[in-house]
Amino acid sequence: MKKSLLALAILSTASAAYADEGMWMPQQLPQIANQLKAAGLELDPAKLTKLTEFPAGAIVSLGGCSASFVSPQGLVATNHHCVYNSVAVNSTKERDLLANGFLAKTLAEELPAAPGSRVFVTEEVLNVSDRIITPAVAKLTGKKRIDAIEKNQKALVAECEKEAGYRCTVASFYGGLEFYRLKQLEIRDVRLVHAPAEGIGKFGGDTDNWMWPRHTGDYGFYRAYVSKDGKAADYSKDNVPYQPKHHLKIAKEGVKEGDFIMVMGYPGRTNRHRLPSEVAYTFEWNYPAFVQRSAETLAIIERETAGDRGAALKYAGLKANVNNYFKNRKGMLSSYENSDFLARKTQEHADLKAWVNADAKRKKEFAADIEAVEKLIAQRDAQVKRDWNLDSSSPRFLTAARTLYRLAHESTKPDAERRAGMQERDMGRLKASVEGMDRTYVEKVDKALVLNSLVKYAAQPAAERNAAFDAAMGIKDGMKEAELKALLDTMYAGSKLANSAERAAWLGKKPADFKASNDSFIKAAVAMYEDSMKREAADEELAGKIQQAYANYMKAKIAYMNSKGKAVYPDANGTLRVTFGKIQGRDHGADGTGSWTAFTTVKGVVAKATGEGEFNAPVKQLAAIKAKDFGKYVDPKLGTVPVNYLATLDITGGNSGSAALNSKGEFIGLAFDGTLDSIISDWDFNAANTRDIQVDVRYMLWVMKHVDHADNLIKEMGAE
């Protein structure tokens, strides 16, 4: 195959990028080797490309967070907020692990993680673009194109997964211009090992989230388990700890400002190559709507769980997640309002089109698709606006019923022809998800959340509503809140899907069984099925047209940027990336405030501690600080134990739990957050403002040693 566009985009232009900007694919690192060395990396950059060697072989994904092996016995270090839901589902009013923390002193004491938890170890990344967009596929458009792409993706996945225990995916890069296949060992038995008390792991709560200075011990530990023969397996008491080929060593020396730092992890999504119209839609409609809905969701959960710790624990994970993005989006909106981002983006796009139109060959190749993609995206955005309230108006178990009924239909087909996500390879996770739903469900909370959206949805003109949904739910024009609540009361009362065994029983049933059911949610799912399939086909027709046009737009953009001597690294998409920079404060804080020092210390914990709410530091921690019981974890310059530190790393959501590494590839902490005025870098990178936040490994070890007495884990990590 000819050299990939991804390589061409970097090869001759890498020196033009900021040293700390870019979420680089491992295979790109030799092309920026000079920058890495100049920044202070002592390892050979070529070693970082070898996914099964050190250190990449120690880096794992949790399917939403990043993590790393830190012992030969499969001990996994990640963020507290990444293990948060596992702590919550193992908590009860009588044994509140969220509030008090959890430590397994032995393997036998470790607890099963939340249902569906996984540890993914990437072993191969392969460019499969020519096998996805074949000459035959290149001629197709609309739904036929999407169907053909999916067929090729499934064939590549099936080929890759012939070796048992692996999960393979095909990821899109540059808006569908290139495709890479990831082969990952899928470890299905994941157990909770340790999490500090919420007053440490979530100290500062939502008040301090995305803020600096920060004093949060955002760390936690899982362990990966496999069968006795070393194969991936479902949970069993007979399973044994996984023995990774490589694990990270804890740095013996502490870090200081100016030091090289590198993070390897799985960033979720960035949007730096988006069109001006996408920027306008997102920041002027989508994010404001999201903020409004999130505020309402949080208020409803707070109201409906007040005085009921059991209910609050069931919704703790959802509440934390919503709160996180609620503040994130508000921060992005604030940065956007005070910027010229849209104007710059509009000018950049105008310059691109002028460059394309200045050459007859380029105009013939790119101009039509650049114009088409704008119109197609506008059509998609209009549909999102129309269905905004509809998408959150379904009871949770109605959504489950629709998934189960769709699965029953898909199961009548040969496996290769089933919908992606509903093949035999997906059944384990689907089963765990269906069976475990009631662990994060309370009817009165779910009903209140649905009613809030349903009232807004029902108020829309009939032409903007979904007739099939209205008929199945019994919605009519002019219905008031009390009438809608009565509809919901009847529907919830008429279903047994809140019972785990009842839900699980539907997993193997035929479409005819669903049609014969009198369960209210099942009946509604059956009634909506045909319409949902028609809508899905229409969505795929549009998606196919967008994929074709967007990929060509990105091809034009790469060529244009290369002509200007600028690098075009791919946006984050949940695949393994590397970012590097240095530990560094800021000479200006947010909103014109004073400078930010690079480190915070335990002195700040004492200063912020109130003994209640978000700043409820454990008494034993405060006592250890007061007694200066710091052991060997004192920073010589700071004179006390460091807690968090800033760095110039380019990270985003999904990087949570990423191992922070020094110049030798040693573990120096965990990335866990950014700062509120710099998170717009997901869209608009700003080298002067962008800082991410790490929890210092010295703080992790100090708390583990002097507060939680996790000596067993410290010894296991070789950090005595």
Side-chain angles (χ1 to χ4, degrees):
M1 177 185 168
K2 63 186 178 183
K3 190 181 291 279
S4 74
L5 285 166
L6 186 150
L8 290 172
I10 302 300
L11 188 59
S12 63
T13 59
S15 60
Y18 288 111
D20 51 355
E21 177 186 354
M23 300 176 184
W24 307 98
M25 296 177 69
Q27 60 263 43
Q28 294 174 305
L29 297 181
Q31 298 156 16
I32 56 170
N34 292 338
Q35 288 175 274
L36 284 161
K37 285 293 187 180
L41 178 67
E42 296 180 47
L43 298 174
D44 179 358
K47 285 191 66 176
L48 302 179
T49 69
K50 302 183 190 317
L51 301 181
T52 58
E53 300 297 327
F54 176 85
I59 307 302
V60 301
S61 168
L62 302 180
C65 280
S66 300
S68 54
F69 289 121
V70 289
S71 90
Q73 296 298 313
L75 188 67
V76 175
T78 188
N79 286 153
H80 181 271
H81 73 262
C82 295
V83 304
Y84 192 84
N85 199 42
S86 291
V87 181
V89 299
N90 280 291
S91 293
T92 63
K93 290 183 288 185
E94 296 74 27
R95 192 187 184 206
D96 195 336
L97 303 182
L98 268 185
N100 302 318
F102 172 73
L103 170 65
K105 284 283 191 177
T106 66
L107 297 180
E109 294 177 359
E110 295 173 1
L111 299 172
S117 295
R118 297 289 190 273
V119 171
F120 296 100
V121 187
T122 300
E123 295 189 0
E124 180 186 71
V125 177
L126 183 68
N127 190 331
V128 293
S129 302
D130 285 352
R131 296 179 66 184
I132 296 293
I133 308 297
T134 63
V137 173
K139 297 176 182 177
L140 300 175
T141 188
K143 187 178 188 305
K144 290 182 179 179
R145 185 181 183 92
I146 289 295
D147 288 344
I149 289 173
E150 182 176 306
K151 181 180 179 180
N152 291 344
Q153 287 176 324
K154 287 191 291 188
L156 284 164
V157 165
E159 172 188 281
C160 180
E161 290 182 353
K162 286 180 180 178
E163 187 175 357
Y166 284 88
R167 185 82 176 180
C168 302
T169 55
V170 176
S172 167
F173 291 75
Y174 293 122
L177 183 59
E178 290 199 339
F179 295 84
Y180 284 74
R181 184 177 69 187
L182 285 74
K183 181 179 181 180
Q184 297 177 307
L185 178 67
E186 180 185 22
I187 298 176
R188 306 193 299 273
D189 186 350
V190 183
R191 304 185 195 180
L192 179 66
V193 178
H194 174 48
E198 194 168 26
I200 294 173
K202 201 182 175 186
F203 184 77
D206 297 308
T207 299
D208 272 7
N209 193 19
W210 306 108
M211 306 301 286
W212 188 260
R214 194 73 175 273
H215 302 85
T216 308
D218 200 344
Y219 68 88
F221 293 89
Y222 281 141
R223 192 182 305 279
Y225 279 77
V226 292
S227 63
K228 289 182 178 179
D229 61 0
K231 304 294 185 181
D234 293 329
Y235 175 86
S236 169
K237 292 181 180 179
D238 295 328
N239 286 348
V240 297
Y242 172 69
Q243 297 183 351
K245 295 176 183 177
H246 300 281
H247 68 276
L248 301 178
K249 294 181 179 179
I250 308 301
K252 299 296 185 184
E253 295 182 15
V255 292
K256 62 184 184 301
E257 186 163 16
D259 281 356
F260 172 89
I261 183 173
M262 173 175 64
V263 152
M264 301 185 78
Y266 290 81
R269 183 180 181 183
T270 53
N271 299 283
R272 294 173 189 165
H273 302 314
R274 296 291 178 178
L275 294 155
S277 60
E278 294 179 280
V279 172
Y281 161 77
T282 299
F283 286 92
E284 295 171 10
W285 187 85
N286 186 268
Y287 281 1
F290 178 90
V291 166
Q292 179 182 343
R293 176 184 288 174
S294 297
E296 293 169 359
T297 297
L298 292 168
I300 290 167
I301 293 174
E302 188 71 25
R303 182 188 74 216
E304 297 297 326
T305 62
D308 186 345
R309 182 59 178 167
L313 285 169
K314 287 192 172 188
Y315 280 85
L318 175 62
K319 183 179 177 183
N321 185 58
V322 173
N323 245 322
N324 184 50
Y325 283 100
F326 174 56
K327 192 167 186 178
N328 173 292
R329 299 302 188 249
K330 287 201 298 182
M332 285 203 190
L333 287 170
S334 178
S335 295
Y336 176 78
E337 290 166 2
N338 298 316
S339 77
D340 62 347
F341 176 36
L342 181 57
R344 282 187 285 108
K345 202 74 172 174
T346 301
Q347 185 60 54
E348 288 169 8
H349 192 59
D351 293 344
L352 166 63
K353 290 198 287 187
W355 178 80
V356 166
N357 291 327
D359 178 86
K361 183 179 179 181
R362 293 196 298 260
K363 185 174 182 179
K364 181 179 179 181
E365 184 176 5
F366 300 126
D369 279 334
I370 291 176
E371 292 302 318
V373 75
E374 293 274 15
K375 296 176 182 177
L376 293 167
I377 287 172
Q379 183 180 343
R380 182 189 65 189
D381 292 346
Q383 292 177 1
V384 173
K385 289 182 180 181
R386 181 197 66 198
D387 294 339
W388 182 253
N389 293 313
L390 171 65
D391 290 343
S392 56
S393 291
S394 287
R396 189 170 177 190
F397 289 126
L398 172 56
T399 301
R402 297 181 74 177
T403 299
L404 289 165
Y405 187 50
R406 176 66 181 273
L407 180 62
H409 277 279
E410 295 297 324
S411 297
T412 65
K413 306 174 185 176
D415 192 58
E417 296 177 16
R418 294 186 194 178
R419 181 76 172 173
M422 291 190 170
Q423 296 176 280
E424 284 301 322
R425 65 192 291 269
D426 305 302
M427 289 307 297
R429 297 196 77 174
L430 275 170
K431 185 173 184 290
S433 175
V434 167
E435 292 179 349
M437 289 176 71
D438 48 322
R439 300 178 72 177
T440 54
Y441 174 83
V442 176
E443 182 178 304
K444 66 174 183 177
V445 182
D446 189 65
K447 195 181 294 184
L449 290 169
V450 171
L451 181 61
N452 181 62
S453 293
L454 197 61
V455 168
K456 298 181 180 67
Y457 166 76
Q460 294 176 206
E464 295 179 10
R465 301 202 308 266
N466 182 315
F469 179 82
D470 287 2
M473 296 287 288
I475 296 171
K476 296 181 174 59
D477 289 346
M479 274 191 161
K480 304 299 182 185
E481 181 173 341
E483 295 171 290
L484 294 169
K485 183 178 183 303
L487 287 180
L488 290 179
D489 288 341
T490 300
M491 182 161 276
Y492 279 79
S495 176
K496 296 181 180 179
L497 291 185
N499 180 280
S500 179
E502 289 280 347
R503 287 195 308 278
W506 285 101
L507 279 166
K509 294 193 176 182
K510 309 289 186 185
D513 298 321
F514 284 80
K515 291 178 180 178
S517 174
N518 285 319
D519 186 284
S520 55
F521 287 148
I522 298 291
K523 287 176 68 176
V526 171
M528 288 187 274
Y529 180 75
E530 292 300 329
D531 178 76
S532 69
M533 295 303 294
K534 291 177 182 177
R535 286 174 174 261
E536 182 179 283
D539 289 344
E540 289 178 348
E541 179 69 22
L542 177 59
K545 293 176 180 178
I546 291 175
Q547 190 279 330
Q548 184 176 22
Y550 214 107
N552 209 30
Y553 153 69
M554 282 305 307
K555 187 177 180 181
K557 182 171 183 178
I558 290 172
Y560 171 61
M561 297 300 283
N562 276 342
S563 75
K564 295 168 63 69
K566 294 184 179 181
V568 186
Y569 50 83
D571 267 322
N573 61 354
T575 59
L576 182 62
R577 303 296 180 93
V578 180
T579 178
F580 65 97
K582 60 184 177 181
I583 297 172
Q584 182 176 297
R586 257 172 52 175
D587 58 11
H588 63 287
D591 300 323
T593 57
S595 62
W596 288 352
T597 58
F599 288 85
T600 59
T601 73
V602 292
K603 293 179 182 178
V605 174
V606 175
K608 287 182 176 179
T610 62
E612 60 184 15
E614 296 176 318
F615 297 93
N616 188 18
V619 172
K620 56 185 177 181
Q621 182 193 28
L622 296 175
I625 297 172
K626 183 177 180 181
K628 296 187 177 181
D629 181 17
F630 298 144
K632 62 180 182 180
Y633 304 111
V634 174
D635 181 282
K637 184 175 181 180
L638 299 172
T640 187
V641 180
V643 178
N644 299 144
Y645 57 86
L646 294 170
T648 61
L649 299 175
D650 187 2
I651 72 168
T652 188
N655 271 123
S656 290
S658 294
L661 308 177
N662 63 15
S663 60
K664 301 175 184 177
E666 297 171 329
F667 185 93
I668 55 174
L670 293 165
F672 73 93
D673 211 355
T675 59
L676 198 61
D677 68 333
S678 70
I679 53 178
I680 198 172
S681 285
D682 280 4
W683 291 79
D684 183 31
F685 189 87
N686 183 313
N689 281 0
T690 297
R691 295 293 184 275
D692 81 314
I693 305 174
Q694 282 68 222
V695 56
D696 197 307
V697 69
R698 290 170 290 182
Y699 183 61
M700 294 169 59
L701 294 172
W702 174 74
V703 173
M704 293 170 70
K705 175 75 175 178
H706 294 267
V707 180
D708 288 335
H709 307 295
D711 300 78
N712 57 315
L713 300 182
I714 294 173
K715 182 178 180 180
E716 181 179 342
M717 293 188 292
E720 306 101 311

